[in-house]
Amino acid sequence: YQGQKNRRQRTTTHTMLMTMQLLKPGEVAQDHRHNFAAFRFILKGSGAYTIVEGERIPMEEGDLILTPSMTWHGHRNGGEPVIWLDGLDNPLLFLLQVITWEAFAGGLQPMKNDADCVAPRVGMARPVWEKSPERPNYNLRYQWKDTYETLKRLSDGPGSPFDGVALEYVNPAGGHTMPTLSCGIQMLRRGEATHTHRHNSSTIYHAFRGSGTTMINGEKFDWGEGDCFVVPLWSWHSHQNRSKDHEAILFSTSDMPVMEALKLYREAERADSASRAL
């Protein structure tokens, strides 16, 4: 019982865990794998990289890097201190009692040649000599420069009434970021306030740029760059960018793919949400 109690305490929501990790110059995180899915959203620093299934994935600010279930991975830092968000679905797997974890024999996996790497060509034509993979070809790295360019390009359009200019990091083969986790990025334009809605998926937010306010079930939560907060499932919520001069950007992760897979997902808009958001 005590072990189960402590395990529940090491969660951010009932299905997800999000932490911050620092990799110091010269530090090496030895390779391992587990059946819980994970991602890293890079906050500060450069010069570090993740090895995923033998592929070297550079870490730059604003990049999203995936380590899908049962992929070998580790970290190396040959530059300055690097800080990232670590997101995982292990609370869900603990609940299902199916956790698997193992270290790579010898500590460090060998790196592939560039020609053997899948990541640079995901979503492109597949070489004819390769068989179709049994598991999805995940896009292991979503670069910030591409993500931000897309946000800016869409910023003159209407956007989402509930989330502003919002993007989901999707699997190039179709579907959400990973089977149990959806990752998103949204821009709240200068002074923008969203309508109020709720859904039965939980969401964890990180304020990547700017400052704003999120109303959760009528309670006001002010946030600034570097803050994290949770919108629990089925909670009425809306966002507002407090600045009239600068955009605000929120990174988020949710367990929506799980709810959809179980045919349980629901969402609703509050009838008076437009007036209350403003």
Side-chain angles (χ1 to χ4, degrees):
Y1 171 77
Q2 188 62 36
Q4 292 292 332
K5 180 180 179 181
N6 291 339
R7 188 174 296 158
R8 286 196 298 270
Q9 290 174 344
R10 293 196 297 270
T11 67
T12 308
T13 74
H14 62 300
T15 57
M16 299 178 291
L17 171 67
M18 194 161 79
T19 65
M20 289 192 182
Q21 185 169 343
L22 165 68
L23 195 67
K24 295 179 287 187
E27 195 167 17
V28 172
Q30 296 199 341
D31 297 330
H32 60 284
R33 68 178 181 179
H34 36 68
N35 63 346
F36 42 97
F39 66 79
R40 295 115 200 15
F41 184 73
I42 315 306
L43 301 178
K44 297 289 183 183
S46 63
Y49 57 95
T50 290
I51 306 294
V52 184
E53 290 292 323
E55 302 190 25
R56 175 176 172 148
I57 313 293
M59 292 177 162
E60 300 294 340
E61 290 184 16
D63 287 357
L64 175 66
I65 298 171
L66 305 186
T67 53
S69 174
M70 295 308 289
T71 54
W72 292 109
H73 61 281
H75 316 296
R76 325 275 190 272
N77 190 356
E80 61 191 25
V82 175
I83 301 173
W84 65 76
L85 295 176
D86 240 347
L88 311 100
D89 64 356
N90 56 340
L92 174 63
L93 272 64
F94 274 124
L95 179 65
L96 297 173
Q97 299 184 17
V98 292
I99 287 287
T100 296
W101 189 100
E102 59 183 299
F104 189 83
L108 303 178
Q109 61 181 306
M111 284 193 286
K112 295 178 179 177
N113 296 322
D114 289 344
D116 297 325
C117 291
V118 174
R121 61 172 184 262
V122 167
M124 301 172 63
R126 176 173 56 85
V128 296
W129 60 86
E130 293 184 359
K131 295 181 180 180
S132 298
E134 294 182 0
R135 63 185 180 190
N137 267 337
Y138 293 98
N139 187 0
L140 298 177
R141 183 191 187 197
Y142 301 81
Q143 292 184 262
W144 174 245
K145 63 182 183 66
D146 298 327
T147 303
Y148 186 61
E149 181 181 307
T150 303
L151 287 172
K152 293 291 285 185
R153 188 170 64 249
L154 296 174
S155 63
D156 290 333
S160 161
F162 308 113
D163 295 301
V165 183
L167 304 174
E168 182 184 19
Y169 297 90
V170 296
N171 185 322
H176 297 292
T177 317
M178 290 185 283
T180 54
L181 294 171
S182 170
C183 295
I185 194 88
Q186 65 195 86
M187 175 190 291
L188 299 172
R189 293 159 287 196
R190 290 174 293 181
E192 184 172 15
T194 71
H195 292 204
T196 302
H197 74 148
R198 63 181 178 177
H199 39 70
N200 63 352
S201 56
S202 303
T203 309
I204 308 171
Y205 288 93
H206 174 81
F208 186 54
R209 297 283 186 269
S211 61
T213 298
T214 295
M215 298 293 295
I216 305 175
N217 286 334
E219 188 172 354
K220 181 179 178 182
F221 294 88
D222 292 332
W223 44 263
E225 185 172 318
D227 290 346
C228 297
F229 61 96
V230 172
V231 174
L233 60 85
W234 212 235
S235 298
W236 292 114
H237 61 281
S238 62
H239 309 289
Q240 182 165 16
N241 181 355
R242 294 200 302 268
S243 174
K244 302 296 183 183
D245 302 311
H246 303 287
E247 65 198 23
I249 296 178
L250 291 170
F251 172 84
S252 64
T253 185
S254 84
D255 58 5
M256 180 172 62
V258 177
M259 304 305 293
E260 288 187 345
L262 296 174
K263 308 299 182 186
L264 296 174
Y265 183 74
R266 294 176 59 205
E267 61 179 302
E269 176 182 5
R270 194 163 63 190
D272 60 345
S273 63
S275 60
R276 286 179 180 266
L278 298 172

